[in-house]
Amino acid sequence: MQKFIVSSSEEGQTLEKYVRKVLKEAPLSFIYKLFRKKDIKVNGHWQKEKYQVSSGEEISIYINDDQLEEFKKKNKDTTLFNISSWIVYEDKNIIIINKPRGVIVQKDESGSTALDEMVISYLINKGEYNPSKDLGYTPAPTHRLDRNTAGLIIFGKNLPILRYFSKIMQDKSLIEKRYLTLVVGVIKGEGKIDYKLEKNSKNGRVFVSDNGKTALTKYKVVKNLKGYTLLEVQLLTGRTHQIRVHLAAINHPVVGDSKYGNYEINKEIENKYGFKNQFLISYELKFNKLEEPLKYLSNKVFKLSLPDEMNNLLLELEKE
């Protein structure tokens, strides 16, 4: 059994988040199994995942040293990842990563190595983060990108920055995120999609629902092609799969989207042009008027060029 004492800086976290931090080498499926078996206790009493921990409480986790060492052994290869070529910008507070398509941002039940693990490994190797000493926080992403969505994502390096981002990320006027996507069909001009979205917890799919959460998406046409449109999209809210579900809901699904897209057209694109991926990239981050501790980033813009596979598809479609 492992025992931990909650520090004042950790107070208010959910028990799930706390356990994921202290057992960062363990698979998520194993952690959820511990909760199901009631092998995690607070001051000797079983608590649910969403219980908020308080300073001074004792967290007991029924896992032995051999299990911990086995998890560490399985995860030691993350130190070999070199993400330097993915870094778009870095300073003492943040890292902006150009996430490749297919990489998950945070650990899930698939067992795939996640981007946050790679970033943590990178910072450990640089000597900027020591998990045995910096117990009050873990470097983490400030927002999410789906596995098959490529592009820019921000990581906070320290606790004050992570707290600052948690406060400001809901205000879309402070940090603007723009995406490029190729959709099926021809769209003219610009518009806004205002459909509430709800998530099915059993299958992970998101759907339009009057009972869902407010979701707003802006778009404008970048280029019209024969039967397709390249759009610039801006999120005014940040719901799961928002861009993909909203565009599918107006009958202009994202090219290559295997979950919400058009199967027949995706197959046709793959057979004709060899493109079989999701055409969606977070290509621009714009910081507007920020306050301390990130005031120095005010008015800075970070922008990506399209990956070759996306650019080549556009070139082929322009020939049609």
Side-chain angles (χ1 to χ4, degrees):
M1 182 172 65
Q2 307 292 322
K3 292 186 177 182
F4 306 88
I5 303 297
V6 178
S7 68
S8 58
S9 63
E10 296 165 326
E11 187 167 32
Q13 293 182 6
T14 64
L15 183 58
E16 177 189 350
K17 184 175 181 180
Y18 182 89
V19 173
R20 287 177 65 174
K21 183 192 68 176
V22 297
L23 296 184
K24 54 185 172 295
E25 294 92 356
L28 202 54
S29 56
F30 178 82
I31 291 174
Y32 288 149
K33 185 178 180 181
L34 288 175
F35 276 108
R36 288 196 301 272
K37 292 175 65 179
K38 299 186 178 181
D39 282 345
I40 299 172
K41 295 184 178 181
V42 180
N43 293 334
H45 300 284
W46 176 75
Q47 298 290 352
K48 293 183 178 181
E49 294 95 318
K50 300 308 178 186
Y51 173 84
Q52 290 188 319
V53 300
S54 298
S55 176
E57 287 184 320
E58 181 183 82
I59 312 298
S60 302
I61 305 176
Y62 289 81
I63 178 175
N64 59 47
D65 293 336
D66 290 341
Q67 285 175 303
L68 275 180
E69 286 304 313
E70 184 64 25
F71 289 139
K72 289 178 181 178
K73 191 181 299 182
K74 287 182 179 179
N75 284 277
K76 68 180 181 179
D77 61 341
T78 60
T79 60
L80 302 177
F81 283 98
N82 185 353
I83 62 170
S84 299
S85 62
W86 299 352
I87 296 174
V88 175
Y89 173 83
E90 181 179 8
D91 62 31
K92 64 180 181 180
N93 292 318
I94 69 168
I95 305 178
I96 300 177
I97 300 284
N98 179 9
K99 184 189 85 69
R101 179 194 57 79
V103 175
I104 57 172
V105 174
Q106 292 179 301
K107 186 184 293 185
D108 61 14
E109 295 186 358
S110 70
S112 302
T113 302
L115 183 60
D116 63 348
E117 296 175 286
M118 300 181 201
V119 170
I120 289 168
S121 173
Y122 168 78
L123 292 175
I124 290 172
N125 289 335
K126 284 187 69 181
E128 291 189 30
Y129 175 64
N130 187 333
S132 63
K133 292 182 179 179
D134 301 321
L135 298 178
Y137 74 97
T138 303
T142 64
H143 55 106
R144 298 170 300 186
L145 284 180
D146 298 339
R147 176 193 286 267
N148 289 320
T149 301
L152 299 170
I153 185 166
I154 308 166
F155 277 78
K157 286 186 175 183
N158 54 63
L159 187 58
I161 293 302
L162 290 170
R163 284 176 172 167
Y164 180 73
F165 271 111
S166 69
K167 181 176 71 173
I168 70 168
M169 285 305 283
Q170 299 305 313
D171 187 345
K172 302 303 178 185
S173 68
L174 296 177
I175 302 177
E176 298 177 22
K177 294 178 285 184
R178 290 183 172 84
Y179 298 73
L180 285 176
T181 184
L182 184 69
V183 300
V184 177
V186 176
I187 301 176
K188 298 294 183 181
E190 57 186 57
K192 183 185 292 186
I193 307 171
D194 183 1
Y195 290 144
K196 291 182 178 179
L197 298 178
E198 186 175 346
K199 185 176 182 179
N200 184 320
S201 58
K202 292 183 179 180
N203 61 20
R205 289 180 66 91
V206 177
F207 57 96
V208 173
S209 167
D210 290 337
N211 299 318
K213 295 180 179 179
T214 299
L216 298 172
T217 303
K218 285 175 62 177
Y219 65 84
K220 67 178 182 180
V221 172
V222 176
K223 184 181 294 186
N224 285 123
L225 301 158
K226 188 177 180 181
Y228 301 93
T229 305
L230 182 66
L231 295 178
E232 180 185 86
V233 178
Q234 185 178 359
L235 292 177
L236 302 183
T237 54
R239 307 301 178 201
T240 301
H241 302 171
Q242 179 175 320
I243 292 174
R244 297 156 61 196
V245 178
H246 266 178
L247 290 170
I250 63 170
N251 298 315
H252 293 288
V254 173
V255 167
D257 184 350
S258 60
K259 183 170 282 191
Y260 306 105
N262 184 305
Y263 175 81
E264 288 78 14
I265 292 178
N266 289 345
K267 201 66 183 175
E268 181 182 330
I269 287 280
E270 179 182 351
N271 292 336
K272 193 171 182 179
Y273 305 107
F275 185 89
K276 56 182 179 180
N277 303 318
Q278 183 173 284
F279 200 119
L280 179 61
I281 179 170
S282 171
Y283 90 110
E284 181 179 294
L285 283 172
K286 181 183 178 184
F287 296 93
N288 291 321
K289 189 175 181 181
L290 302 181
E291 297 178 351
E292 296 295 354
L294 291 179
K295 187 176 181 179
Y296 64 92
L297 287 174
S298 295
N299 301 316
K300 287 189 179 295
V301 179
F302 299 92
K303 199 168 186 176
L304 297 176
S305 300
L306 281 177
D308 288 344
E309 61 175 359
M310 291 183 176
N311 198 47
N312 290 340
L313 176 59
L314 294 180
L315 291 173
E316 289 297 322
L317 290 174
E318 285 177 344
K319 296 175 184 177
E320 295 290 328

